[in-house]
Amino acid sequence: MSEVSDEGTAAPGGAGTPPEGWEAPRERWLSTVVSPAFGPRSVLLEVAVRLLVPSVLVFSVFLLVAGHDRPGGGFAGGLVASMAFVLRYIAGGRHELAAGMPLKPNTLLAGGLLLSGVTAGFPLISGGDLLEVIKHSAELPVFGKVTFASYLAFEAGVFLIVVGLVLSVVAALGARMEAEEEEVRAGRRRRRARNKGGPR
């Protein structure tokens, strides 16, 4: 017979019981060790997020680059990239979202607006029209002849604007939801403390 602890579960040293900490992942799948505010950590969700996020980000870059001639563009690519960060938020909360973001959402918004504005207005310096496309071709060792166009820089600015906007909304709404969840937990702890200390 295995020993039983106070909580009613088998003690780690008993026969036929799993080793201590067997439910926890052997390595950290996410950047932070802080548990999300909306519930306990889910190993399956952490593994899925770690596997999906790089693929989603690569696909978003593909949409950004291929968007001029095919479906996609900066807006679609930005939405797809934002979903990768939302997945990290669902798995690990605001701490994981902050660890996964290269820059703050406001910085991404400002950088995207600046890049799009400069790209749109740059042709005016040489007497061109607003949003006029500037192209330049170059021979690269492996890829051969490659054409660089200014619309890619404009789309990259839109990409950053969309990512920054979505992350700002997620951070604002998520912070409020987590604060409410913490208030509920604190209320439960206070009620349990009163019940333990009250007359029986």
Side-chain angles (χ1 to χ4, degrees):
M1 294 292 293
S2 60
E3 298 178 3
V4 178
S5 62
D6 293 337
E7 284 112 5
T9 58
T17 60
E20 185 177 358
W22 67 280
E23 294 179 355
R26 294 189 178 274
E27 64 179 22
R28 211 166 60 202
W29 286 95
L30 298 178
S31 299
T32 61
V33 294
V34 180
S35 298
F38 307 115
R41 292 177 60 194
S42 170
V43 178
L44 180 61
L45 183 58
E46 290 185 14
V47 173
V49 168
R50 181 170 180 177
L51 294 177
L52 285 176
V53 165
S55 302
V56 172
L57 290 177
V58 170
F59 181 61
S60 71
V61 174
F62 168 77
L63 290 177
L64 169 65
V65 174
H68 185 70
D69 301 321
R70 302 169 190 164
F75 186 79
L79 287 178
V80 172
S82 301
M83 293 305 102
F85 292 106
V86 170
L87 279 175
R88 294 191 70 158
Y89 174 76
I90 293 173
R94 58 188 174 92
H95 298 285
E96 179 64 23
L97 179 62
M101 285 191 300
L103 297 171
K104 292 183 179 180
N106 292 338
T107 306
L108 292 175
L109 274 171
L113 285 171
L114 180 62
L115 182 59
S116 296
V118 169
T119 306
F122 185 75
L124 297 175
I125 299 176
S126 58
D129 296 328
L130 187 68
L131 291 173
E132 182 179 342
V133 178
I134 301 173
K135 294 185 178 181
H136 178 71
S137 299
E139 287 285 341
L140 297 181
V142 178
F143 301 98
K145 186 177 181 180
V146 177
T147 301
F148 300 94
S150 60
Y151 62 77
L152 182 59
F154 181 81
E155 292 288 348
V158 175
F159 181 93
L160 294 177
I161 291 173
V162 172
V163 173
L165 181 61
V166 172
L167 292 182
S168 297
V169 173
V170 170
L173 295 179
R176 180 59 186 163
M177 292 170 63
E178 290 189 14
E180 292 176 354
E181 183 72 18
E182 288 297 330
E183 290 177 4
V184 172
R185 288 181 180 178
R188 289 174 182 168
R189 286 194 294 266
R190 286 194 296 268
R191 285 195 297 271
R192 282 199 298 266
R194 284 197 300 267
N195 291 338
K196 289 181 180 179
R200 301 190 177 184

